[in-house]
Amino acid sequence: MTTDAVNAEFTEAAHTASTIAPTAPFFVVMNAGSGRKQADETRAVLEDELGAARRRFEMCVVDDPRELDAAAREAAEKARADRGVLVGAGGDGTLCTVAQAALAADVPFAVLPRGTFNYFSRDHGIPADLHASTKLLLDARAYPVQVGFVNDRMFIVNASLGLYPKLLEDRETYKQQFGRSRLVALWSAVYTLLRRHRHLHFHIEHEGRTREVRSSTLFVGNNRLQLEQIGMPEARAVEHGLLVAIAPRPVGRLAHLILSLHGAAGRLSDSDHVMSFTFDRITVTRPHASKAKRRRVKIATDGEIAWLDMALEFRVSERPLLLLKPEPAVAEANRS
C-alpha cells in the first residue's frame, strides 16, 4: 500500500465515530495537585450539569500524584464493567495517565481541561470552559485519536529526552515558588537555556537506516497545535498516522536561546540548526552501548518525568484512543 493510501485510510478512520449510550455513567479522575478549590469547583459543575441531565457519575480526587496511575486503572475497570466513560480532569500530564488507563481497558475517554496549556484538549476542539466541556460529555461521540508510546510509556502530546526534560523540571520548581502561569514558564525556560548544558550523542534507527545524532534534546511531537505554534511544516503529519521528531544541532547557549525564540515566534523551521523528520517507529540507542550495561535515561512525557532503560522505541500506538470530542467541523473551528 502506498503512503498516500495509508494516509487516506488513517484519515477516514479518524472521522469514524462511535455513539455513546445515553445512560453511560462517567468515572472522573482528577489530580488535586493544582488545589482543592479547583477540585471542589469541578465537582460542583459536574453535579450541576450531569445531575440536571440525570446522568450518573463518580469522581475520584487523587491527593498524592503517585497514586494517580492506580486510581485511573481502578476507575477504568469500573467504566468497563458498567459500559461507561473514563474522564480525566487536569492538565496534559494528568490526562495522559488517565488516557493510558482508558486505552488499556478499551473504554471511551473524555477530557475536562484544568491545566495551564491544555494542548491535547485544544487540539481536539474541546472547550476550556468547565461548563461547556462538561456539557459536551452528554452528547459527544467517540472518535479514534492517535497516541504515541516510548517503550511502554504513553504520550498524547509529546515525549523527549535531554534538555527538554530539564526545562520541565525547572519550570515546575519555579511554578511552586511563583505560581502557575505562562509568564513563569517563559522565564524559567530562559534561565535554563542560559545555563550550561551538554549535548547528547545517540543513534536513531529508522526504516532500516541508522543516523548518528548530536543534540541537546530529542523532541517527539504528537500534537498538531503545538507543532504549528513552533512553526514545523510537518505538523499535519500527526493526523495521518505519524509522529514528528525534532533535534536541534549542537550550538552554544546563546544560539540555543535564539533558536528557542524562533520556536516561540512560530519560525523554528526557518533555522538551519534544526533537524526534523516524520516516522511511525524509531529506535534510539547509545553508540557502543552493550546489552550488559543498559543505561537509564530521563524522559519527559506530557510534562511528567520518568527514567527508562535504553534502547528507547518511539512509536505510534497500534490501537487508537477513543476520545469524546466535537464533530470534526466544530472541533476544527474550536482549535486555538
Side-chain angles (χ1 to χ4, degrees):
M1 184 179 293
T2 66
T3 301
D4 289 343
V6 171
N7 289 347
E9 183 177 327
F10 187 90
T11 302
E12 181 180 356
H15 285 77
T16 303
S18 302
T19 301
I20 302 301
T23 57
F26 299 101
F27 298 86
V28 184
V29 179
M30 183 173 188
N31 184 353
S34 54
R36 177 60 61 172
K37 180 179 179 181
Q38 191 180 73
D40 292 342
E41 178 189 14
T42 302
R43 185 184 296 275
V45 172
L46 288 168
E47 291 174 348
D48 184 27
E49 300 292 349
L50 300 185
R54 299 182 181 277
R55 291 291 289 275
R56 181 167 70 89
F57 76 92
E58 292 184 16
M59 184 174 179
C60 173
V61 179
V62 181
D63 294 305
D64 186 344
R66 293 172 296 183
E67 298 176 358
L68 181 63
D69 179 61
R73 285 189 277 110
E74 181 178 349
E77 289 304 316
K78 290 181 179 179
R80 181 165 63 177
D82 288 6
R83 297 184 178 181
V85 178
L86 183 63
V87 183
D92 288 326
T94 296
L95 298 184
C96 181
T97 299
V98 182
Q100 184 159 2
L103 184 68
D106 196 23
V107 297
F109 176 64
V111 169
L112 299 177
R114 306 297 282 157
T116 303
F117 293 98
N118 298 318
Y119 277 118
F120 181 73
S121 58
R122 289 163 60 200
D123 194 39
H124 291 288
I126 297 170
D129 178 77
L130 183 58
H131 281 274
S133 58
T134 303
K135 287 180 180 178
L136 182 66
L137 300 178
L138 296 171
D139 53 17
R141 294 192 295 168
Y143 286 86
V145 300
Q146 173 177 295
V147 297
F149 275 87
V150 50
N151 293 0
D152 61 352
R153 191 173 177 90
M154 196 176 93
F155 58 96
I156 55 178
V157 177
N158 61 57
S160 60
L161 66 152
L163 180 61
Y164 194 73
K166 178 60 177 172
L167 283 169
L168 296 176
E169 284 186 318
D170 289 348
R171 185 180 75 186
E172 191 60 31
T173 298
Y174 274 82
K175 282 183 176 181
Q176 290 176 4
Q177 295 180 26
F178 304 109
R180 294 182 176 273
S181 73
R182 297 191 183 191
L183 184 60
V184 171
L186 173 63
W187 282 111
S188 69
V190 171
Y191 176 74
T192 304
L193 289 169
L194 288 176
R195 294 163 62 188
R196 185 175 181 179
H197 52 267
R198 66 187 183 91
H199 291 100
L200 304 176
H201 182 200
F202 49 88
H203 287 168
I204 297 178
E205 299 174 16
H206 178 221
E207 296 181 343
R209 299 173 58 188
T210 300
R211 69 175 79 187
E212 185 174 350
V213 177
R214 288 185 181 275
S215 178
S216 60
T217 192
L218 174 65
F219 179 94
V220 175
N222 182 48
N223 186 273
R224 173 185 157 193
L225 176 63
Q226 186 179 51
L227 292 167
E228 285 179 343
Q229 285 188 346
I230 62 176
M232 298 307 298
E234 301 96 338
R236 284 189 173 272
V238 300
E239 297 178 338
H240 301 289
L242 298 171
L243 300 170
V244 180
I246 305 170
R249 305 187 193 281
V251 293
R253 279 175 281 179
L254 182 58
H256 214 300
L257 177 59
I258 294 173
L259 190 63
S260 298
L261 293 175
H262 272 276
R267 297 188 293 109
L268 189 62
S269 62
D270 292 347
S271 174
D272 295 330
H273 298 300
V274 176
M275 176 194 75
S276 63
F277 62 93
T278 62
F279 69 93
D280 61 0
R281 185 183 299 264
I282 59 173
T283 302
V284 179
T285 58
R286 296 277 192 183
H288 314 302
S290 66
K291 291 184 178 180
K293 289 187 175 182
R294 288 186 178 271
R295 185 171 179 179
R296 290 171 65 78
V297 62
K298 186 183 295 184
I299 295 291
T301 53
D302 299 329
E304 303 297 323
I305 306 299
W307 288 87
L308 300 182
D309 289 327
M310 298 286 276
L312 301 175
E313 182 185 59
F314 294 85
R315 69 187 189 281
V316 175
S317 173
E318 295 178 355
R319 290 193 299 118
L321 177 71
L322 293 177
L323 175 68
L324 269 65
K325 66 175 188 174
E327 300 300 309
V330 176
E332 185 64 27
N334 288 347
R335 289 180 73 251
S336 60

